[in-house]
Structures are given as structure tokens and as C-alpha cells.
Amino acid sequence: MEETGYASAAIRRGYAFADVLEQNTSTRHADLAVFTQTPPSYRSAAFAAAEGKGRRPEDVVTEHRALGAPLMFVIDDNISLWQVHPDKPPRLIDTYSTDAIPALFDQHRSDWHPEAIRRAKSIGAVDQAIPIQLDFVDAGLLPAIEGEIHVKLDRLLAEALEAADAVMDGKQLDDRILFRTVFRLLAAKVLQDREHNFSADWDTSNLSSVLSGIEKYYNLGAVSLPPRGETKDAFVAAWEHLRTGINFSNISSDDLAFVYENTLVTPETRKHFGTHSTPRQVAEYIVRGLELWRHDPATLHVYEPFAGAGVFLVSALRHIKENLPSRWSERERHDFLLNHISGDEKDPFACEVATLSLILADYPNHNGWHIRETDLYTKNTLDERMRGKNVILCNPPFEAFLADERALYSLPDETYSKPMLALSKALDAKPLALGFVLPRPFILGNQYSKLRRRIEETFGEVEVVELPDRTFGASDIEAAAVIAREPRPENAAVPFYTHLTGTTVSGRERLDFLKMGRATDHRKVKRYVTDHASGNLWVPPLNDVWEYLSAYKKLDSIMRGSRGLEWTYSQSEAFSEEQQEGYKLGVYNRRNIAQFQTPPRVWLDYREENIRVGYGQEWDETKIIINSGRRGRGPWRMAASLDSAGLLYTQQFYGFWPLEKMDRASLLAITALLNGPVANAFIALHSPQKVIRKGAIYDIPVPPSLPYAAAPHIEEYLALCGNVELFTNNEERLEKLLTKIDAAVLDAYDLPPRLEAQLLSYFVGFKRPVKHRWTHWDEAFPGPGLRLSERLSGKFDDRGAWISEILKPLPDKEAALLREWGTW
């Protein structure tokens, strides 16, 4: 190993590590563990070796998965070499005699060099789609270990805090003392488990000795704990739980920093101190996407304004540190990072948390980190602090500027949004790369159009990430992220190409993303800009479907819409269950509405003097009523129904009338379109999360010929829905009728089978807004490779025998000619 380039300090005998991939997280020992750099951790593990002692080699390898090494030798009569996988059996590469080992290393000297393995592991974690030349490195091993480590560290720290709370017996620990003391305890456990020389100077069973030892090591002030009493006893209990918990020796220091911030900064703490933060995997995803490994680290100067608890900085620290020369000492790396990573924050408590997080992440180095406390909105401060910084990472406050803030900071009138100002200033700094967390309207909202154009004009590679609700803990904030890199040359002329990536993290896979950092879907396009940048950075899911349908006419070519009634007083007082003078029948609330079925009717106030918007519409004309707010969190957003009874409707609905006179069958066909998968997917992807824009409905593609075949099925469906007794006994019939309606709609759109399959799979796992059982088409009517109408036709059995009937083998003569041609 030394001859292959590994430092002697990175080669460990009897190395202890926590088996986080095992349920009980026992501590195991590798006879030999080899790392690409120090300090060792699962991120830098390259090789392991262990004696088999008569056991099955596969079992020995499996027990060492959590070490993080992609390759492992098992030594028995012969030596077997294995590739390590996180979630499947290890793969035997080959078996060798002892005498063959020197030649094996000579053969693989370049592939097994620490820089080669370090690069393969780090790039594989950035993007598993990037081909890795070293095919023995499983790119999924690191994320699997990392995810389990964070879960178990969070649990350990939470349990330690529970032990402290039990001693306090309902009394509250001071938040500042809690943060400062827990940092010292975590740092002490790191030094203890890694058998650092300094840890020999304290008595691990004595809390005061441990605290003073860490304060001396990091040159920190003393925590003001009372010499005795509940507070000290609480931290004694916490330390006892921590020091006997999961072994920290193989855990990356930045993992500890992330969990320290995430577990301790509770919603109550954030509210009390105004401390905001970025979820670890959001920060990791953004920093990975910047591909900092492509740059010489010496050229990078990372800056995080509005640093909060410093999660972006911790992530950037690791990514840059991994690319520093392996020959450098820890002191050299530390000094380099201090000069290339910086941040600012207004809140003094957040500055302290961020600083302590960076100290943890930079083990085993002493202190030196400092997050500057400053108000970045004061005149020119943001410009000055960004000057000279070429990697800008930011999760700014999302609020608009209040009138008193606008006056305090002398802001121009057009500067109404804090995130817009931060992004604009970042673009002014002309960085190499930027990564921002932004409000969801950044994706499509008109207010961000100018900034999107600037990004497109500035960078050649742009990724926009749609984040689901509740990504930010208990907050229901709707957010997106933008990752931009590869700046264009100054005054780059059009035409030019922009490489765009649209990434979605679905609500169903939110927890997987927060644990493993895996997005649901990526769509990539190369957009050619011939005149000027459009600012259209978003590549929506099902992009191929929308490209295919882009030539179709839109709904606004056949329908016109109008929002419902608004009153001069509260809407909650504008309806009645009983008829009153000046009231007319209408629909009031979008909750619990169902597709095709008319919503429950109430009496609405239709006295002109009380109506602010909507009086005098053509209520008596047959129309289609659609909810104006989303029907659910998933892709099923709309429930449309045909109204020929002249109903009123509130602002919670839209009404749509045909531009030209249509018969009932045509209007039912349009209702089928609006309730179908194309229209609902389109609205889910082209309208804000909680509301449905009328303009987005207008843009729904309409097939060349309406699905008239759906009309009789809708009539039968409505008849069954209207009969309570038949309804309750005909769920299967209702479900099949609904599928027939959808099949007619899809046939009208005439999507290629591949695109139809993509469209239908978008709805997997989501509840449809109907009042009977509904099972996804692929489950209720399976038939891979078939259109929905083909599955319902009965022409194709479920055994697949029809395939051999349609796909006949080539005649022997033609097959022979093809074989002959293939040899040229």
C-alpha cells in the first residue's frame, strides 16, 4: 500500500468503526484499513483486509461494508478480492495466491492510487450519472453509509438530550449553554474515539475535566456551569450517554457538524433567536452540483451571506478539503481553508453556532474560524463582502422588505424582495458558480423573469431544483434551488447554448431526499439561444410529452374563463343553507369536490350592491366549473364538472364557456380532458403549488379532435354517481368507466406509447379526486408497452402470448444477410 502511494499514517491496523448498516450499530475492527487521506473516515476509506478464519468470505466482506472501502481482501489459504456494495452481496473480483499479490499491485498501481480512488468516490457522490473509470467503486456506498450515520447520530444526540431533560425534571436548559456545552461534548467524544493524544489529559468520567480539556484544545472560553445542581447533573447524564454510544472514529467530522446544528436548532430555538438554516441534504445537493472538484482549489473563494448556522460552509469545507493534495498536512489544509471560506450573519447566536460547526467539521485542527456579524443590507455592504468571492452559496431570508426597512436601508422602489436583492448582488459579483435556495416562484414567477434571464446570459450550465413542501422541517415554505456554473466569457455574443437541468424532488420521496440526497427525476436539455435569453430555465417533468404536444392548439382557442364571485364583505358570510331574497343557487367551497360531479349547492348572495367582482356573468349558459385552488398536493389538481343549471360559483372556482356554441357531447368531452391525466399533469407542472392560474388552464394542450367517445361513458358514470344505492355497489364499474374515459382522452392526444407510459407513471401513488375507489391504471389494467385503450380492448392477454403473434422472427435468409453485414 505504501508503494502504491498511501501515507503510513493513513494505513491502520485493528481499526475500529461503527457498523451503521447493522441495526444495532456494533463496533467492529478491521485487521487492516487504508485511507486516501487523514483523518480517516468512511469517506476516505480505500481498502480493507481481514483474515477469513474459516468463515465465508462473503460474510466477512458484508461485516466491513460500513467501513466505506470499495475494495476488500479476505485472507485464507488464498487471498480473495471483493467489490463492496451497500445493499447487495459483494462481488468476487478474483482469487490470488500470496505470491501473486506484488504483481497484482504492480498491475493496478494507477487505478489503486489514493488520488484515483478519492476522485472516483467523490465524483460518484456528486453525480452517479457521470461515468466512473474505476468500475470497482460502487457510487451508492457512500450515500448509504452517510444516510445511516446521520439517522443514528441524530438519534444518539436526541437521546443524550432526553437524558439531560430527565434530570432537569421539566425545567428548561438555557439554549446558549446547551449549544456551547454539547459542542464540547461532541468534540470530546471525537478526540476520545479517535484516540487523540490530547484526550489522554482528561478524566473521561469527570465532566469538568472533559470540558476544560476541550476548552484548552480549541482555545475557547469556559462554559458557565454551576459547580453543582440540576444543570451540571443534566450534562453529566448527557455525556454518559454520548461517550458510550456509537463509535465516532470512522465518522466524517462534517457529519457531526451537520447533526449538531440540525438536532439542536429546534423550531423553538429558531423562532427565539431568529436563526434560519438549510437542511443538510439541500446544502449538500447544491454544493455537489457546483462540481468544485473541476477547479484548482487555490482559485476558489467561497462565501455564504446570511450564513445562519453555516450548513453551506460546512458542506463547502468538505468538498474543497477532499480535493486538496493528499501530501499536505492537516495544518496546511486548515490554513488554506481559513483563507478560502468565509461567511456573514446578522444574528450573533447563529454566528456562534456556525463557528462551532466549522470547528467540528475541521477536526483535528484548532480554532481559527470566525463568522462575521454584520447587517448585509446596509449601504453597499453586500457588494463589498461579495467582491472577490467567486463561489456564492446562499439561503437568504424569503420575506419582502417592510416599509421601515426600505427607509432604513435606502432601498430603491423596485427592490421589494430580500431573496431577489441577494441574487441580484450575487450576479453583480460575476462568480464562477452560485447556489441559491429561493422561493418557489423563482421557477416560473414573472417577478423573477429578469433575474432568470441574467442567469441564462451569465452561465452555460444551470440546474433548477423543485423542492417539495416541508423540506424545511415543520415549515410549509415552498422553495426551489438554482445551481449555476460555467460562466460565459465577458460580452459573449448570441447565439449560444445553455445546458439546462430540471430536477424534481417529489413529496413522496421527500424523506428519502433528506436522508440520501437523491432527487426523484432529472431532465436535461440543450437550449440554443439565437436572439436574447428568454429566462426560461425550467425543464419540467414530462418535458418530452410537452414537446410532443407543443404544436397542439390550446384551451384558450375554444374556451373563455372567468373567476367567481367576490363580495364586499367576508365570503364566509355570503352563503346560506336556506333560500333568501336576492340569493341564488351556487357552489361555495372547493373542499371535497369530485371530478365530473357537481359540487354541493348552497344559496349565494347575488345582490349587486354586495358584490365586488363577478356580477352579471352569463350564469345561465352551460359552462364547465373548475376549482381555482389545488385539489391535493399530488399531480391530481383539478376536478371539473359540467353545469347546465345556471349555478353561481365563488372565487374558489373558475367557470369556462365555449367560444362557439357546442353541444353537450362536446362539452362533456372537454370536461373529460380537464379531468384527465394530460391536463392535471400540465397544471401540476405549470402552475404554482397552491393555486391554479387561469393562464395555465388556458395553456392546456387540446387534441386535434375532441374525445367524443368519452361522452357516453361520462353519462353512464354520472347516472351511477347520482344513484346512492347503485353508487355504493358499483365501485368496480365506476372505476372501469373512469378508465374508459381516460383511454378515450389519451387516444385523442395520440401520444406515442413511450410518452403515454411516462405520463401515467407520473401519477403513481397519488389519490384521485373521486368519491369511489380508484386504482392506478398500471395496477388495475397492467400491460407494459401497451396504450391504455389497448389494455382495455381485450385483444392482448396478460400472459404475453400476443407478443410472439405480432413480433415474428426474421426469415432465415434475411437473418443470415444481417449476420454477414454485421461482420464488416
Side-chain angles (χ1 to χ4, degrees):
M1 288 296 177
E2 288 178 340
E3 290 171 359
T4 307
Y6 291 89
S8 58
I11 303 173
R12 305 293 180 94
R13 294 181 181 274
Y15 182 77
F17 66 96
D19 189 353
V20 295
L21 298 178
E22 179 194 50
Q23 186 172 1
N24 296 326
T25 318
S26 61
T27 298
R28 299 190 186 276
H29 293 81
D31 292 340
L32 189 73
V34 183
F35 301 88
T36 59
Q37 60 185 26
T38 57
S41 77
Y42 69 95
R43 293 191 192 278
S44 59
F47 290 89
E51 294 185 35
K53 298 178 180 177
R55 302 176 58 214
R56 286 190 346 132
E58 297 94 320
D59 296 337
V60 177
V61 177
T62 298
E63 289 177 359
H64 288 74
R65 291 177 305 161
L67 178 64
L71 288 174
M72 182 167 184
F73 293 98
V74 179
I75 305 167
D76 267 318
D77 295 337
N78 289 311
I79 299 175
S80 54
L81 177 60
W82 299 81
Q83 181 185 17
V84 182
H85 297 291
D87 51 8
K88 62 182 180 180
R91 179 179 71 89
L92 176 64
I93 294 174
D94 211 338
T95 303
Y96 310 91
S97 67
T98 306
D99 294 340
I101 294 302
L104 176 67
F105 273 81
D106 286 340
Q107 178 186 352
H108 293 285
R109 192 80 65 197
S110 60
D111 287 349
W112 290 0
H113 190 274
E115 288 298 320
I117 291 184
R118 179 196 61 75
R119 192 169 183 81
K121 289 183 75 173
S122 62
I123 293 175
V126 169
D127 188 346
Q128 294 183 33
I130 296 177
I132 298 175
Q133 292 181 343
L134 306 183
D135 60 1
F136 57 78
V137 176
D138 186 326
L141 184 59
L142 251 63
I145 296 172
E146 179 186 69
E148 287 301 319
I149 281 176
H150 283 267
V151 168
K152 290 177 179 178
L153 281 178
D154 180 81
R155 186 184 305 151
L156 174 66
L157 190 50
E159 289 170 352
L161 295 176
E162 288 172 5
D165 286 339
V167 173
M168 294 298 292
D169 195 25
K171 295 180 182 177
Q172 189 72 32
L173 282 166
D174 179 85
D175 286 317
R176 293 183 186 274
I177 292 177
L178 178 67
F179 266 90
R180 291 165 180 160
T181 306
V182 169
F183 162 78
R184 288 157 173 77
L185 299 183
L186 285 173
K189 181 162 173 63
V190 175
L191 267 63
Q192 169 192 293
D193 288 357
R194 291 183 180 272
E195 299 179 352
H196 193 284
N197 292 335
F198 201 87
S199 66
D201 292 346
W202 65 63
D203 178 1
T204 57
S205 63
N206 184 307
L207 178 68
S208 298
S209 174
V210 171
L211 294 179
S212 62
I214 288 297
E215 287 158 1
K216 181 180 178 181
Y217 184 79
Y218 284 116
N219 193 26
L220 299 170
V223 175
S224 300
L225 288 182
R228 62 181 61 83
E230 291 171 329
T231 299
K232 183 171 183 179
D233 291 344
F235 285 118
V236 168
W239 171 239
E240 284 302 311
H241 191 87
L242 273 178
R243 76 187 185 97
T244 57
I246 178 176
N247 191 304
F248 282 10
S249 61
N250 195 48
I251 291 173
S252 180
S253 299
D254 60 282
D255 293 320
L256 291 169
F258 280 133
V259 174
Y260 166 68
E261 184 277 333
N262 181 69
T263 306
L264 265 69
V265 184
T266 63
E268 292 76 21
T269 309
R270 296 188 200 283
K271 184 176 180 181
H272 179 70
F273 290 106
T275 305
H276 76 281
S277 185
T278 306
R280 172 185 64 91
Q281 285 294 5
V282 173
E284 271 289 285
Y285 187 92
I286 290 173
V287 176
R288 283 201 308 266
L290 295 178
E291 299 186 0
L292 300 180
W293 53 270
R294 294 184 182 275
H295 300 275
D296 178 356
T299 66
L300 300 177
H301 293 273
V302 177
Y303 174 61
E304 183 182 7
F306 315 102
V311 179
F312 268 127
L313 295 177
V314 170
S315 181
L317 181 149
R318 177 173 68 79
H319 282 266
I320 294 177
K321 190 174 185 179
E322 285 180 348
N323 286 305
L324 296 179
S326 56
R327 66 181 183 278
W328 282 16
S329 68
E330 284 299 326
R331 180 70 187 185
E332 287 175 308
R333 292 189 190 127
H334 174 67
D335 291 344
F336 178 90
L337 292 167
L338 285 178
N339 291 319
H340 288 260
I341 295 176
S342 60
D344 292 320
E345 170 58 48
K346 182 179 180 180
D347 172 48
F349 180 63
C351 289
E352 182 175 1
V353 174
T355 300
L356 295 178
S357 295
L358 286 165
I359 294 172
L360 268 181
D362 195 27
Y363 169 88
N365 296 300
H366 296 274
N367 198 356
W369 295 100
H370 179 66
I371 303 301
R372 177 171 158 176
E373 181 185 336
T374 185
D375 185 349
L376 290 166
Y377 292 126
T378 54
K379 187 176 182 180
N380 297 329
T381 301
L382 202 49
D383 302 88
E384 292 168 3
R385 295 295 293 154
M386 285 184 175
R387 190 175 298 125
K389 311 301 193 304
N390 58 11
V391 178
I392 299 175
L393 302 165
C394 188
N395 179 5
F398 277 16
E399 302 86 3
F401 284 103
L402 301 175
D404 57 344
E405 291 177 316
R406 195 181 299 282
L408 174 66
Y409 299 126
S410 303
L411 296 172
D413 291 340
E414 64 271 16
T415 308
Y416 66 90
S417 164
K418 293 178 180 179
M420 290 176 69
L421 177 63
L423 180 56
S424 178
K425 296 293 186 183
L427 291 169
D428 290 343
K430 297 180 171 54
L432 278 173
L434 61 81
F436 263 69
V437 177
L438 294 163
R440 182 77 63 77
F442 170 79
I443 295 177
L444 294 170
N446 290 333
Q447 66 269 43
Y448 281 91
S449 59
K450 181 178 178 181
L451 289 169
R452 290 197 301 269
R453 284 196 298 273
R454 289 187 64 189
I455 291 172
E456 187 175 3
E457 290 165 352
T458 305
F459 297 98
E461 297 273 354
V462 181
E463 179 178 0
V464 176
V465 186
E466 183 182 37
L467 298 169
D469 300 350
R470 296 172 293 158
T471 298
F472 292 77
S475 172
D476 199 31
I477 191 170
E478 294 185 341
V482 61
I483 303 165
R485 55 188 179 84
E486 301 298 323
R488 303 186 195 283
E490 286 283 344
N491 302 315
V494 290
F496 55 74
Y497 284 107
T498 302
H499 296 264
L500 300 175
T501 302
T503 298
T504 297
V505 179
S506 73
R508 287 178 295 134
E509 298 180 20
R510 174 180 60 89
L511 295 179
D512 286 343
F513 173 74
L514 291 175
K515 179 180 177 181
M516 304 285 285
R518 292 176 180 166
T520 305
D521 184 34
H522 302 276
R523 291 86 50 192
K524 296 180 181 289
V525 300
K526 183 178 179 182
R527 184 166 295 151
Y528 190 56
V529 180
T530 58
D531 185 10
H532 61 276
S534 67
N536 180 16
L537 304 178
W538 181 230
V539 183
L542 306 174
N543 188 59
D544 289 346
V545 173
W546 312 130
E547 286 289 331
Y548 182 87
L549 299 176
S550 61
Y552 285 26
K553 61 184 179 182
K554 301 183 185 329
L555 189 73
D556 65 355
S557 67
I558 58 172
M559 305 289 285
R560 60 176 178 83
S562 177
R563 193 156 181 170
L565 294 169
E566 296 180 34
W567 287 269
T568 57
Y569 59 97
S570 172
Q571 179 180 304
S572 61
E573 301 172 9
F575 78 99
S576 171
E577 299 290 347
E578 299 177 357
Q579 185 173 6
Q580 297 185 37
E581 184 177 351
Y583 281 58
K584 291 186 177 183
L585 277 175
V587 293
Y588 171 74
N589 197 308
R590 72 171 186 269
R591 287 199 299 269
N592 301 319
I593 58 174
Q595 291 185 338
F596 295 106
Q597 296 181 254
T598 303
R601 306 177 186 189
V602 296
W603 296 92
L604 298 179
D605 184 355
Y606 197 59
R607 292 172 291 184
E608 185 174 2
E609 64 272 19
N610 293 337
I611 294 174
R612 186 165 62 88
V613 174
Y615 188 83
Q617 295 190 52
E618 297 171 345
W619 303 106
D620 293 335
E621 297 293 327
T622 301
K623 58 188 176 292
I624 297 173
I625 298 177
I626 311 170
N627 50 296
S628 61
R630 70 180 181 188
R631 183 58 181 80
R633 288 183 180 271
W636 288 113
R637 297 296 173 91
M638 295 192 298
S641 59
L642 184 62
D643 168 47
S644 55
L647 296 175
L648 309 183
Y649 53 86
T650 70
Q651 61 182 325
Q652 295 193 29
F653 298 89
Y654 294 114
F656 278 84
W657 289 262
L659 293 177
E660 298 178 0
K661 190 169 182 62
M662 288 186 183
D663 58 18
R664 179 176 173 84
S666 299
L667 289 169
L668 285 174
I670 295 172
T671 308
L673 293 179
L674 294 170
N675 285 323
V678 172
N680 274 273
F682 186 87
I683 291 299
L685 299 171
H686 293 85
S687 196
Q689 284 290 300
K690 292 186 177 180
V691 299
I692 298 175
R693 291 188 297 108
K694 185 173 69 174
I697 298 176
Y698 274 149
D699 287 339
I700 292 172
V702 175
S705 179
L706 294 176
Y708 295 105
H713 300 312
I714 298 173
E715 298 284 21
E716 184 178 356
Y717 181 85
L718 290 172
L720 282 176
C721 290
N723 187 314
V724 176
E725 183 177 344
L726 288 175
F727 180 88
T728 55
N729 295 319
N730 280 277
E731 287 215 332
E732 185 176 346
R733 188 175 166 192
L734 285 162
E735 184 175 18
K736 188 158 188 178
L737 280 169
L738 197 55
T739 304
K740 288 180 176 180
I741 295 167
D742 294 335
V745 168
L746 290 169
D747 280 351
Y749 280 108
D750 194 29
L751 289 168
R754 175 182 63 86
L755 297 185
E756 183 177 308
Q758 287 181 18
L759 174 67
L760 298 188
S761 67
Y762 182 65
F763 292 84
V764 170
F766 291 102
K767 180 177 172 56
R768 190 169 186 172
V770 293
K771 294 187 177 179
H772 55 81
R773 181 190 68 210
W774 183 78
T775 308
H776 189 274
W777 309 277
D778 293 346
E779 184 179 343
F781 305 95
L786 298 176
R787 290 181 170 179
L788 185 58
S789 59
E790 291 172 332
R791 303 183 213 175
L792 294 175
S793 68
K795 296 178 182 178
F796 307 98
D797 62 41
D798 58 3
R799 295 187 300 273
W802 58 271
I803 297 176
S804 61
E805 293 295 323
I806 293 176
L807 303 177
K808 299 290 187 182
L810 280 174
D812 291 342
K813 185 176 180 181
E814 292 183 27
L817 287 170
L818 279 174
R819 289 192 198 98
E820 182 180 346
W821 177 80
T823 61
W824 282 73

